[in-house]
């Protein structure tokens, strides 16, 4: 990969890792589902007018807006409100093992020895994390794992669904997710208007960052890299996201770096590496 594209990939990784920290900052001032609603609204306004889709694709996008928009992102914002940034980033990475298991069950994909070891390492990492003091209480833990499952289900849907341009998919999923997360905010949250009035530039900046930088700029660069290079050269870089998020959480948020987090996180990342990286035999 040329140095320019490598630096672009690392720039995207930095955006996504910082996004975890930024969400933590945002949900400290705005209720999480309200912040998710505002985020999706901004994404939809910026993308939908420029990326039309066929009417036949709307039911698929509506379904994806529930699994990817409401389940993944909505639960991610809720879970990160109550969990350390680095631990939350590690838990959400379980979406990759979940997606692998779902592909085996529903798509009848084969599970080789390498991926079996990867799955075992990933789940062992969660067990190690569970023995440490940084793991959130059972409710936010379950919420973050459900967010990871929402991501996994969405990946299978995208794999089997109609081909849609990435920015069109992001915009229309956001548009259809707005009423869902807004309803959730209305039913389960309170003080939304007061939060909007009292939010500082940090809260509003966090919302804009998650919408513009994480959803539009980062994904735009990422899909351009995927078009230019093989998937197995680009995707493994995402393994750096939780590593960088853990470091940023410790540096910027004062998160702890205990033995359980380092060992458990290392196992999770090693397991995911075995799942996503394809090793090729060199010719003799």
């Amino acid at each position: 990969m040329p140095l320019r594209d490598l630096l672009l990939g690392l720039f995207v990784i930095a955006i996504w890792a910082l996004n975890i920290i930024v969400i933590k900052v945002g949900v400290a001032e705005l209720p999480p589902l309200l912040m998710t609603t505002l985020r999706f609204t901004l994404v939809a306004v910026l993308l939908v007018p420029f990326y039309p889709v066929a009417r036949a694709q709307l039911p698929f996008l509506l379904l994806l807006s529930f699994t990817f928009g409401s389940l993944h992102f909505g639960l991610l914002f809720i879970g990160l409100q109550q969990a350390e940034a680095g631990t939350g980033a590690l838990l959400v990475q379980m979406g990759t093992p979940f997606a692998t298991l779902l592909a085996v069950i529903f798509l009848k994909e084969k599970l080789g020895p390498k991926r079996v070891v990867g799955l075992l390492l990933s789940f062992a990492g969660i067990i190690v994390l569970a023995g440490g003091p940084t793991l959130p209480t059972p409710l936010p833990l379950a919420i973050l794992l459900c967010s990871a499952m929402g991501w996994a289900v969405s990946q299978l849907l995208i794999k089997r669904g109609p081909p849609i341009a990435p920015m069109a998919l992001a915009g229309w999923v956001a548009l259809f997710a707005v009423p869902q997360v807004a309803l959730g905010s209305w039913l389960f949250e309170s003080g939304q208007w007061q939060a909007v009035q009292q939010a500082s530039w940090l809260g509003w900046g966090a919302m804009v960052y998650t919408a513009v930088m994480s959803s539009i700029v980062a994904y735009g660069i990422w899909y351009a890299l995927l078009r230019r290079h093989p998937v197995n050269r680009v995707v493994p870089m995402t393994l750096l996201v939780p590593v960088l998020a853990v470091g940023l959480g410790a540096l910027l948020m004062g998160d702890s770096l205990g033995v359980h987090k380092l060992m458990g996180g290392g196992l999770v990342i090693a397991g995911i590496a075995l799942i996503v990286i394809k090793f090729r035999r060199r010719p003799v």
Side-chain angles (χ1 to χ4, degrees):
M1 184 181 296
L3 179 61
R4 172 180 171 273
D5 285 356
L6 177 60
L7 292 176
L8 284 173
L10 294 176
F11 175 61
V12 171
I13 298 308
I15 291 175
W16 284 338
L18 186 59
N19 188 52
I20 301 293
I21 310 299
V22 168
I23 291 173
K24 284 284 296 180
V25 172
V27 296
E29 299 194 15
L30 295 166
L33 288 178
L34 173 64
M35 183 177 172
T36 311
T37 303
L38 296 171
R39 172 193 186 277
F40 281 145
T41 301
L42 182 56
V43 171
V45 167
L46 293 175
L47 293 181
V48 168
F50 306 101
Y51 294 93
V53 295
R55 183 175 297 180
Q57 296 171 334
L58 295 180
F60 169 74
L61 290 167
L62 181 60
L63 174 61
L64 199 60
S65 72
F66 176 71
T67 62
F68 199 44
S70 296
L71 286 184
H72 173 57
F73 281 107
L75 294 180
L76 174 64
F77 279 50
I78 294 172
L80 284 176
Q81 188 184 40
Q82 305 173 58
E84 286 189 356
T87 304
L90 290 168
L91 291 173
V92 172
Q93 290 297 310
M94 291 302 293
T96 299
F98 290 159
T100 302
L101 288 174
L102 291 176
V104 171
I105 295 169
F106 294 105
L107 303 183
K108 307 303 179 185
E109 291 189 2
K110 293 183 179 180
L111 194 61
K114 180 173 72 71
R115 297 172 81 191
V116 170
V117 173
L119 288 172
L120 293 175
L121 285 177
S122 299
F123 287 105
I126 296 300
I127 293 172
V128 173
L129 281 172
T134 64
L135 198 73
T137 56
L139 181 59
L141 169 62
I143 288 172
L144 286 168
L145 290 177
C146 286
S147 170
M149 182 60 75
W151 181 90
V153 172
S154 301
Q155 300 315 299
L156 264 67
L157 290 175
I158 292 171
K159 188 173 183 178
R160 304 288 287 188
I164 301 175
M167 290 295 101
L169 188 145
W172 285 87
V173 163
L175 178 66
F176 287 141
V178 167
Q180 300 172 38
V181 289
L183 178 62
S185 178
W186 180 66
L187 290 174
F188 301 112
E189 296 175 340
S190 60
Q192 291 93 327
W193 181 241
Q194 292 87 341
V196 167
Q197 290 179 310
Q198 297 171 7
S200 69
W201 66 270
L202 283 173
W204 288 110
M207 187 277 293
V208 173
Y209 181 97
T210 62
V212 176
M213 293 301 295
S214 179
S215 291
I216 298 177
V217 173
Y219 274 104
I221 296 172
W222 190 252
Y223 285 114
L225 291 175
L226 287 173
R227 285 194 295 269
R228 293 200 291 267
H229 302 285
V231 172
N232 63 344
R233 289 188 183 178
V234 179
V235 171
M237 283 195 286
T238 59
L239 295 171
L240 294 174
V241 172
V243 176
L244 190 54
V246 169
L248 289 173
L251 181 65
L252 302 177
M253 309 291 288
D255 292 352
S256 60
L257 281 177
V259 174
H260 287 87
K261 180 185 284 188
L262 294 176
M263 290 183 60
L267 287 171
V268 169
I269 294 166
I272 294 171
L274 287 176
I275 294 171
V276 302
I277 297 177
K278 295 181 179 179
F279 300 102
R280 295 180 178 178
R281 293 182 180 179
R282 292 187 178 182
V284 179

PDB file of all heavy atoms in Angstrom, residues 115-136:
ATOM      1  N   ARG A 115     -10.095 -19.668  12.447  1.00  0.00           N
ATOM      2  CA  ARG A 115     -11.198 -18.839  12.918  1.00  0.00           C
ATOM      3  C   ARG A 115     -11.790 -19.389  14.210  1.00  0.00           C
ATOM      4  O   ARG A 115     -12.264 -18.630  15.051  1.00  0.00           O
ATOM      5  CB  ARG A 115     -12.263 -18.735  11.831  1.00  0.00           C
ATOM      6  CG  ARG A 115     -11.753 -18.053  10.568  1.00  0.00           C
ATOM      7  CD  ARG A 115     -12.756 -18.122   9.443  1.00  0.00           C
ATOM      8  NE  ARG A 115     -13.769 -17.110   9.570  1.00  0.00           N
ATOM      9  CZ  ARG A 115     -14.894 -17.086   8.839  1.00  0.00           C
ATOM     10  NH1 ARG A 115     -15.129 -18.060   7.982  1.00  0.00           N
ATOM     11  NH2 ARG A 115     -15.763 -16.121   8.996  1.00  0.00           N
ATOM     12  N   VAL A 116     -11.758 -20.704  14.382  1.00  0.00           N
ATOM     13  CA  VAL A 116     -12.221 -21.285  15.655  1.00  0.00           C
ATOM     14  C   VAL A 116     -11.344 -20.791  16.799  1.00  0.00           C
ATOM     15  O   VAL A 116     -11.842 -20.380  17.858  1.00  0.00           O
ATOM     16  CB  VAL A 116     -12.201 -22.826  15.588  1.00  0.00           C
ATOM     17  CG1 VAL A 116     -12.442 -23.419  16.986  1.00  0.00           C
ATOM     18  CG2 VAL A 116     -13.263 -23.337  14.619  1.00  0.00           C
ATOM     19  N   VAL A 117     -10.024 -20.819  16.582  1.00  0.00           N
ATOM     20  CA  VAL A 117      -9.098 -20.317  17.610  1.00  0.00           C
ATOM     21  C   VAL A 117      -9.357 -18.832  17.865  1.00  0.00           C
ATOM     22  O   VAL A 117      -9.344 -18.366  19.016  1.00  0.00           O
ATOM     23  CB  VAL A 117      -7.638 -20.557  17.186  1.00  0.00           C
ATOM     24  CG1 VAL A 117      -6.675 -19.894  18.171  1.00  0.00           C
ATOM     25  CG2 VAL A 117      -7.349 -22.046  17.093  1.00  0.00           C
ATOM     26  N   GLY A 118      -9.614 -18.073  16.787  1.00  0.00           N
ATOM     27  CA  GLY A 118      -9.910 -16.653  16.941  1.00  0.00           C
ATOM     28  C   GLY A 118     -11.147 -16.410  17.783  1.00  0.00           C
ATOM     29  O   GLY A 118     -11.171 -15.530  18.655  1.00  0.00           O
ATOM     30  N   LEU A 119     -12.196 -17.187  17.540  1.00  0.00           N
ATOM     31  CA  LEU A 119     -13.423 -17.063  18.335  1.00  0.00           C
ATOM     32  C   LEU A 119     -13.156 -17.389  19.801  1.00  0.00           C
ATOM     33  O   LEU A 119     -13.610 -16.674  20.707  1.00  0.00           O
ATOM     34  CB  LEU A 119     -14.502 -17.995  17.779  1.00  0.00           C
ATOM     35  CG  LEU A 119     -15.136 -17.589  16.449  1.00  0.00           C
ATOM     36  CD1 LEU A 119     -16.032 -18.704  15.935  1.00  0.00           C
ATOM     37  CD2 LEU A 119     -15.956 -16.316  16.608  1.00  0.00           C
ATOM     38  N   LEU A 120     -12.427 -18.466  20.033  1.00  0.00           N
ATOM     39  CA  LEU A 120     -12.136 -18.867  21.413  1.00  0.00           C
ATOM     40  C   LEU A 120     -11.318 -17.803  22.139  1.00  0.00           C
ATOM     41  O   LEU A 120     -11.589 -17.483  23.308  1.00  0.00           O
ATOM     42  CB  LEU A 120     -11.399 -20.205  21.423  1.00  0.00           C
ATOM     43  CG  LEU A 120     -12.204 -21.418  20.945  1.00  0.00           C
ATOM     44  CD1 LEU A 120     -11.321 -22.663  20.891  1.00  0.00           C
ATOM     45  CD2 LEU A 120     -13.408 -21.667  21.856  1.00  0.00           C
ATOM     46  N   LEU A 121     -10.341 -17.228  21.455  1.00  0.00           N
ATOM     47  CA  LEU A 121      -9.534 -16.172  22.068  1.00  0.00           C
ATOM     48  C   LEU A 121     -10.375 -14.942  22.384  1.00  0.00           C
ATOM     49  O   LEU A 121     -10.230 -14.326  23.447  1.00  0.00           O
ATOM     50  CB  LEU A 121      -8.371 -15.794  21.147  1.00  0.00           C
ATOM     51  CG  LEU A 121      -7.197 -16.763  21.057  1.00  0.00           C
ATOM     52  CD1 LEU A 121      -6.183 -16.275  20.041  1.00  0.00           C
ATOM     53  CD2 LEU A 121      -6.541 -16.929  22.420  1.00  0.00           C
ATOM     54  N   SER A 122     -11.271 -14.569  21.461  1.00  0.00           N
ATOM     55  CA  SER A 122     -12.118 -13.391  21.664  1.00  0.00           C
ATOM     56  C   SER A 122     -13.002 -13.554  22.893  1.00  0.00           C
ATOM     57  O   SER A 122     -13.080 -12.667  23.755  1.00  0.00           O
ATOM     58  CB  SER A 122     -12.978 -13.139  20.425  1.00  0.00           C
ATOM     59  OG  SER A 122     -12.188 -12.901  19.289  1.00  0.00           O
ATOM     60  N   PHE A 123     -13.667 -14.690  22.990  1.00  0.00           N
ATOM     61  CA  PHE A 123     -14.557 -14.904  24.128  1.00  0.00           C
ATOM     62  C   PHE A 123     -13.765 -15.105  25.417  1.00  0.00           C
ATOM     63  O   PHE A 123     -14.221 -14.714  26.497  1.00  0.00           O
ATOM     64  CB  PHE A 123     -15.479 -16.094  23.859  1.00  0.00           C
ATOM     65  CG  PHE A 123     -16.553 -15.789  22.856  1.00  0.00           C
ATOM     66  CD1 PHE A 123     -16.475 -16.279  21.554  1.00  0.00           C
ATOM     67  CD2 PHE A 123     -17.632 -14.985  23.193  1.00  0.00           C
ATOM     68  CE1 PHE A 123     -17.455 -15.975  20.624  1.00  0.00           C
ATOM     69  CE2 PHE A 123     -18.618 -14.683  22.268  1.00  0.00           C
ATOM     70  CZ  PHE A 123     -18.532 -15.174  20.982  1.00  0.00           C
ATOM     71  N   ALA A 124     -12.564 -15.670  25.322  1.00  0.00           N
ATOM     72  CA  ALA A 124     -11.699 -15.770  26.503  1.00  0.00           C
ATOM     73  C   ALA A 124     -11.309 -14.374  26.985  1.00  0.00           C
ATOM     74  O   ALA A 124     -11.222 -14.123  28.199  1.00  0.00           O
ATOM     75  CB  ALA A 124     -10.457 -16.592  26.181  1.00  0.00           C
ATOM     76  N   GLY A 125     -11.084 -13.467  26.040  1.00  0.00           N
ATOM     77  CA  GLY A 125     -10.754 -12.094  26.415  1.00  0.00           C
ATOM     78  C   GLY A 125     -11.872 -11.427  27.189  1.00  0.00           C
ATOM     79  O   GLY A 125     -11.625 -10.691  28.162  1.00  0.00           O
ATOM     80  N   ILE A 126     -13.116 -11.675  26.792  1.00  0.00           N
ATOM     81  CA  ILE A 126     -14.255 -11.110  27.524  1.00  0.00           C
ATOM     82  C   ILE A 126     -14.329 -11.692  28.933  1.00  0.00           C
ATOM     83  O   ILE A 126     -14.627 -10.985  29.909  1.00  0.00           O
ATOM     84  CB  ILE A 126     -15.572 -11.385  26.765  1.00  0.00           C
ATOM     85  CG1 ILE A 126     -15.554 -10.664  25.420  1.00  0.00           C
ATOM     86  CG2 ILE A 126     -16.775 -10.943  27.588  1.00  0.00           C
ATOM     87  CD1 ILE A 126     -15.420  -9.164  25.511  1.00  0.00           C
ATOM     88  N   ILE A 127     -14.017 -12.979  29.068  1.00  0.00           N
ATOM     89  CA  ILE A 127     -14.019 -13.608  30.395  1.00  0.00           C
ATOM     90  C   ILE A 127     -12.947 -12.979  31.283  1.00  0.00           C
ATOM     91  O   ILE A 127     -13.182 -12.697  32.465  1.00  0.00           O
ATOM     92  CB  ILE A 127     -13.801 -15.129  30.265  1.00  0.00           C
ATOM     93  CG1 ILE A 127     -15.008 -15.771  29.567  1.00  0.00           C
ATOM     94  CG2 ILE A 127     -13.588 -15.760  31.635  1.00  0.00           C
ATOM     95  CD1 ILE A 127     -14.808 -17.235  29.221  1.00  0.00           C
ATOM     96  N   VAL A 128     -11.771 -12.716  30.704  1.00  0.00           N
ATOM     97  CA  VAL A 128     -10.703 -12.073  31.471  1.00  0.00           C
ATOM     98  C   VAL A 128     -11.125 -10.651  31.858  1.00  0.00           C
ATOM     99  O   VAL A 128     -10.917 -10.217  33.004  1.00  0.00           O
ATOM    100  CB  VAL A 128      -9.386 -12.054  30.668  1.00  0.00           C
ATOM    101  CG1 VAL A 128      -8.319 -11.230  31.392  1.00  0.00           C
ATOM    102  CG2 VAL A 128      -8.883 -13.470  30.449  1.00  0.00           C
ATOM    103  N   LEU A 129     -11.719  -9.915  30.925  1.00  0.00           N
ATOM    104  CA  LEU A 129     -12.211  -8.580  31.241  1.00  0.00           C
ATOM    105  C   LEU A 129     -13.237  -8.624  32.374  1.00  0.00           C
ATOM    106  O   LEU A 129     -13.284  -7.739  33.225  1.00  0.00           O
ATOM    107  CB  LEU A 129     -12.851  -7.949  30.001  1.00  0.00           C
ATOM    108  CG  LEU A 129     -11.912  -7.355  28.948  1.00  0.00           C
ATOM    109  CD1 LEU A 129     -12.719  -6.966  27.700  1.00  0.00           C
ATOM    110  CD2 LEU A 129     -11.191  -6.137  29.492  1.00  0.00           C
ATOM    111  N   ALA A 130     -14.054  -9.680  32.368  1.00  0.00           N
ATOM    112  CA  ALA A 130     -15.099  -9.796  33.385  1.00  0.00           C
ATOM    113  C   ALA A 130     -14.522  -9.941  34.789  1.00  0.00           C
ATOM    114  O   ALA A 130     -15.198  -9.605  35.777  1.00  0.00           O
ATOM    115  CB  ALA A 130     -16.004 -10.995  33.082  1.00  0.00           C
ATOM    116  N   GLY A 131     -13.283 -10.411  34.879  1.00  0.00           N
ATOM    117  CA  GLY A 131     -12.674 -10.562  36.189  1.00  0.00           C
ATOM    118  C   GLY A 131     -12.024  -9.298  36.710  1.00  0.00           C
ATOM    119  O   GLY A 131     -11.525  -9.277  37.832  1.00  0.00           O
ATOM    120  N   GLY A 132     -12.027  -8.237  35.896  1.00  0.00           N
ATOM    121  CA  GLY A 132     -11.376  -6.994  36.311  1.00  0.00           C
ATOM    122  C   GLY A 132     -12.362  -5.945  36.761  1.00  0.00           C
ATOM    123  O   GLY A 132     -13.570  -6.055  36.538  1.00  0.00           O
ATOM    124  N   PRO A 133     -11.854  -4.900  37.372  1.00  0.00           N
ATOM    125  CA  PRO A 133     -12.727  -3.855  37.919  1.00  0.00           C
ATOM    126  C   PRO A 133     -13.274  -2.880  36.887  1.00  0.00           C
ATOM    127  O   PRO A 133     -14.158  -2.093  37.201  1.00  0.00           O
ATOM    128  CB  PRO A 133     -11.805  -3.119  38.897  1.00  0.00           C
ATOM    129  CG  PRO A 133     -10.423  -3.310  38.312  1.00  0.00           C
ATOM    130  CD  PRO A 133     -10.442  -4.665  37.686  1.00  0.00           C
ATOM    131  N   THR A 134     -12.746  -2.897  35.641  1.00  0.00           N
ATOM    132  CA  THR A 134     -13.180  -1.910  34.658  1.00  0.00           C
ATOM    133  C   THR A 134     -14.404  -2.353  33.868  1.00  0.00           C
ATOM    134  O   THR A 134     -14.971  -1.557  33.127  1.00  0.00           O
ATOM    135  CB  THR A 134     -12.050  -1.600  33.647  1.00  0.00           C
ATOM    136  OG1 THR A 134     -11.758  -2.778  32.890  1.00  0.00           O
ATOM    137  CG2 THR A 134     -10.800  -1.136  34.365  1.00  0.00           C
ATOM    138  N   LEU A 135     -14.796  -3.631  33.988  1.00  0.00           N
ATOM    139  CA  LEU A 135     -15.966  -4.069  33.241  1.00  0.00           C
ATOM    140  C   LEU A 135     -17.209  -3.399  33.815  1.00  0.00           C
ATOM    141  O   LEU A 135     -17.383  -3.343  35.028  1.00  0.00           O
ATOM    142  CB  LEU A 135     -16.123  -5.588  33.315  1.00  0.00           C
ATOM    143  CG  LEU A 135     -17.038  -6.198  32.238  1.00  0.00           C
ATOM    144  CD1 LEU A 135     -16.332  -6.176  30.903  1.00  0.00           C
ATOM    145  CD2 LEU A 135     -17.428  -7.619  32.602  1.00  0.00           C
ATOM    146  N   PRO A 136     -18.086  -2.853  32.959  1.00  0.00           N
ATOM    147  CA  PRO A 136     -19.286  -2.207  33.485  1.00  0.00           C
ATOM    148  C   PRO A 136     -20.216  -3.207  34.161  1.00  0.00           C
ATOM    149  O   PRO A 136     -20.060  -4.423  34.010  1.00  0.00           O
ATOM    150  CB  PRO A 136     -19.929  -1.599  32.229  1.00  0.00           C
ATOM    151  CG  PRO A 136     -19.381  -2.389  31.086  1.00  0.00           C
ATOM    152  CD  PRO A 136     -17.997  -2.807  31.499  1.00  0.00           C
TER     153      PRO A 136
END
